[in-house]
């Protein structure tokens, strides 16, 4: 199943049982990229056996949080909900290649994609056999209605809208309420939509300006009050053109998917029902051992450590599109302007202070010891881990642990210990406390990790304290970080990265996902360059991405903490499973086969 082009909200799943002290080594190098994870994994398993018809596949989602029930494949907000939706839709309606770029003119896709660079037009053609789960045909009107919902100026809480959609003619005007229609989106016929772009960039092939899943137009029309958006039928009982449709839910706990009888490839569906349920991190190892589930994706290091010797299944691993990071609050999002505005008086406004925060952390030791060798130190911006084979740069900027360099940078920035208490005052001689927001993810590492980070910064004289003196509930963290709570100066977060490498969606001036609220002339220039037509030359494209990666690392609006190995549990009753193909290729879950009525124990 291809990775989503949209960026997901994810929890930082952290597992270990110790607080790290200062490291004895004191490397001064700022290059020589990331180490690889110490643990090695197989990527596929062949269990064999005879197929049992009509057995229900059971999937677990490891999380301390309930499912929110926003069953919207375009506007979902939580990774847990997406873990359900990805199976309902079958992934992207548009086919992608091994570099995650759209495949042109594929008649087998749910929606066929074609880019005409000369006319600056993208044509989206709905497969003639594609139907909603109520039997109605999917039409051009559904695609257009989804775009109009995306740009609707009344949908003020919509975090999916970003400036890359303004490449489409008329989208900006529509989003600002200056036009009643999107001039650059037209219905050519009942099955065909034409998108007219202001300019054509290579990022379009990765999804810039392109929605690759769509909603039912009639369900969209029923939305009249965006203050009650989550309650709309579009989100609670969505129609599906994918292999499955939501049949039953147990509030916050589980979802039963049943086969969409109108799915255009229904003859290929071998799994008729999928039960998806949440699994407490503390209980996950026992759940696997007891045969309660067949598949569990996104395993943490702790679950791997406690489950790797179970005999009734196999743990597979691949490089993940994931990064965890420490972000600095450097401004606010101006709702009226619709963009981030940098605060020159932010506590970490000085680039040297942010670099010192980075040098003070022994990330290699944190990732090796806390994560049991599953995670490894990220380099550059952190946005291009090894899974992004085309752009990943093993020689990118790395803030290797260097206490002396951190202290020197703080001295240069005027942060000095004036009163001799071991903590530095700022350049004005004022006491400065950095309030740190870090989540309670339900793992036993949460508090030790927070303590380790805070102690590392204290060792170079930085006074960092937890917001409200404690770990934050995940919902509270999300609300307060998104709202630019003035009591938050730095925060720890994580992103499940999109297959589109364009950083605009996370770092663009207009993106509400730019939680740092940071922009700069250089980074804006770098991101604009990525969107120029000359970037259709792959060599120039890679060079430009790596230049952005380096410049971002130098300005360090966030500290990339770690990349990780993506791990999955596969029960022995799953006949064959290729994790690489499932994650980055073309192995849909509905084609799996089961060899017994219940999972192996």
């Amino acid at each position: 199943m291809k990775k989503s082009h949209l960026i997901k909200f994810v929890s930082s799943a952290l597992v270990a049982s110790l607080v790290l002290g200062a490291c004895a080594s004191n490397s001064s190098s700022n290059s020589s990229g990331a180490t690889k994870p110490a643990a090695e994994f197989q990527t596929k398993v062949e269990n064999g056996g005879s197929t049992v018809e009509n057995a229900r596949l059971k999937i677990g989602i490891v999380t301390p949080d309930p499912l929110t029930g926003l069953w919207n494949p375009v506007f979902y907000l939580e990774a847990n909900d997406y873990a359900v939706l990805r199976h309902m839709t079958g992934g992207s309606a548009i086919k992608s290649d091994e570099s995650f770029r759209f495949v042109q003119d594929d008649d087998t896709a749910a929606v066929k994609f074609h880019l005409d660079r000369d006319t600056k037009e993208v044509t989206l053609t709905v497969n003639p056999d594609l139907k909603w789960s109520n039997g109605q045909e999917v039409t051009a009107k559904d695609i257009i209605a989804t775009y109009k919902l995306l740009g609707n100026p009344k949908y003020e809480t919509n975090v999916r809208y970003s400036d890359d959609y303004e490449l489409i003619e008329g989208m900006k005007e529509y989003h600002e309420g200056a036009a009643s229609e999107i001039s650059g989106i037209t219905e050519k016929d009942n099955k065909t939509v034409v998108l007219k772009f202001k300019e054509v960039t290579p990022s379009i092939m990765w999804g810039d300006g392109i929605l690759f899943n769509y909603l039912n137009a009639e369900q969209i029309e029923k939305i009249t009050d965006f203050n009650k958006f989550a309650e709309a039928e579009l989100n609670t009982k969505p129609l599906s053109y994918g292999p499955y449709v939501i049949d039953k839910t147990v509030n916050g706990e589980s979802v039963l998917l049943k086969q969409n009888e109108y799915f255009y490839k229904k003859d290929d569906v071998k799994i008729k029902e999928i039960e998806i349920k949440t699994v407490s991190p503390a209980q996950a190892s026992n759940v696997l051992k007891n045969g309660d589930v067949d598949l569990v994706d996104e395993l943490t290091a702790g679950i791997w450590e406690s489950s790797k010797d179970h005999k009734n299944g196999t743990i597979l691993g691949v490089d993940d599109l994931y990064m965890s990071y420490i972000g600095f609050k450097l401004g606010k999002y101006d709702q009226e302007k619709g963009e981030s505005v940098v605060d020159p008086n932010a506590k970490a406004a000085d680039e040297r202070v942010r670099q010192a925060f980075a040098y003070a952390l022994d990330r290699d030791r944190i990732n090796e010891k806390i994560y049991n060798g599953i995670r490894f130190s990220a380099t550059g911006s952190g946005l291009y881990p090894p899974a992004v084979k085309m752009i990943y740069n093993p020689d990118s900027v790395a803030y290797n642990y260097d206490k002396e360099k951190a202290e020197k940078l703080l001295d240069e920035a005027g942060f000095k210990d004036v009163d001799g208490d071991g903590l530095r005052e700022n350049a004005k001689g004022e006491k400065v406390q950095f309030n740190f927001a870090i989540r309670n993810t339900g793992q036993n590492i949460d508090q030790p990790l927070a303590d380790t980070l805070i102690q590392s910064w204290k060792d170079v004289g930085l006074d960092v304290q937890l917001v409200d003196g404690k770990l934050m509930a995940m919902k509270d963290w999300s609300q307060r970080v998104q709202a630019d709570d003035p009591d938050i100066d730095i925060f720890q977060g994580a992103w499940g990265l999109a297959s589109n490498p364009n950083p605009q969606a996370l770092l663009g001036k207009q993106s509400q996902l730019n939680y740092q609220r940071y922009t700069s002339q250089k980074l804006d220039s770098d991101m604009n360059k990525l969107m120029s037509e000359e970037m259709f030359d792959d060599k120039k494209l890679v060079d430009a991405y790596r230049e952005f990666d380096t410049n971002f690392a130098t300005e360090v609006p966030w500290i990339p903490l770690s990349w990780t190995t993506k791990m999955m549990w596969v029960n022995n009753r799953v006949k064959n499973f290729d994790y690489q193909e499932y994650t980055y290729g073309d192995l849909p879950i509905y084609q799996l086969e089961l060899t017994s009525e219940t999972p192996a124990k």
Side-chain angles (χ1 to χ4, degrees), residues 425-533:
E425 284 70 37
N426 64 17
K428 297 178 181 179
E430 301 167 335
K431 290 282 185 182
V432 55
Q433 176 180 299
F434 294 88
N435 299 311
F436 182 31
I438 183 169
R439 293 165 291 184
N440 179 358
T441 69
Q443 305 296 318
N444 62 356
I445 181 51
D446 293 335
Q447 188 66 55
L449 177 70
D451 293 343
T452 298
L453 296 171
I454 289 171
Q455 184 61 49
S456 298
W457 292 320
K458 184 178 181 181
D459 287 345
V460 297
L462 291 167
D463 183 10
V464 180
Q465 304 292 332
L466 293 179
V467 173
D468 299 331
K470 61 183 179 181
L471 302 176
M472 297 178 71
M474 294 178 69
K475 185 176 181 180
D476 188 37
W477 182 97
S478 295
Q479 291 176 341
R480 294 176 69 177
V481 169
Q482 290 179 56
D484 300 328
D485 188 318
D487 289 335
I488 297 175
D489 303 307
I490 55 177
F491 57 95
Q492 191 269 339
W495 289 112
L497 301 170
S499 48
N500 180 357
N502 189 331
Q504 285 279 359
L506 275 182
L507 303 172
K509 183 184 293 187
Q510 292 181 307
S511 173
Q512 293 192 49
L513 299 181
N514 179 352
Y515 292 158
Q516 298 72 238
R517 311 309 184 202
Y518 181 78
T519 65
S520 76
Q521 221 170 15
K522 180 59 182 171
L523 292 183
D524 284 348
S525 174
D526 284 349
M527 286 190 280
N528 287 336
K529 184 177 180 181
L530 297 175
M531 300 173 73
S532 66
E533 193 164 356

Side-chain angles (χ1 to χ4, degrees), residues 361-464:
L361 296 180
D362 189 347
R363 297 177 307 146
D364 286 347
R365 183 168 171 80
I366 289 171
N367 286 305
E368 178 187 353
K369 299 297 183 182
I370 289 185
Y371 298 110
N372 299 325
I374 300 301
R375 294 195 182 189
F376 51 109
S377 298
T379 60
S381 66
L383 290 172
Y384 309 112
V388 189
K389 295 181 175 63
M390 185 177 183
I391 298 172
Y392 166 64
N393 181 8
D395 299 316
S396 189
V397 174
Y399 284 96
N400 295 324
Y401 175 66
D402 193 327
K403 184 172 182 285
E404 291 180 4
K405 193 162 190 175
E407 292 173 334
K408 181 179 179 182
L409 284 164
L410 290 170
D411 288 342
E412 292 174 359
F415 274 62
K416 298 180 180 180
D417 181 10
V418 177
D419 58 11
D421 66 351
L423 299 175
R424 296 171 183 263
E425 284 70 37
N426 64 17
K428 297 178 181 179
E430 301 167 335
K431 290 282 185 182
V432 55
Q433 176 180 299
F434 294 88
N435 299 311
F436 182 31
I438 183 169
R439 293 165 291 184
N440 179 358
T441 69
Q443 305 296 318
N444 62 356
I445 181 51
D446 293 335
Q447 188 66 55
L449 177 70
D451 293 343
T452 298
L453 296 171
I454 289 171
Q455 184 61 49
S456 298
W457 292 320
K458 184 178 181 181
D459 287 345
V460 297
L462 291 167
D463 183 10
V464 180

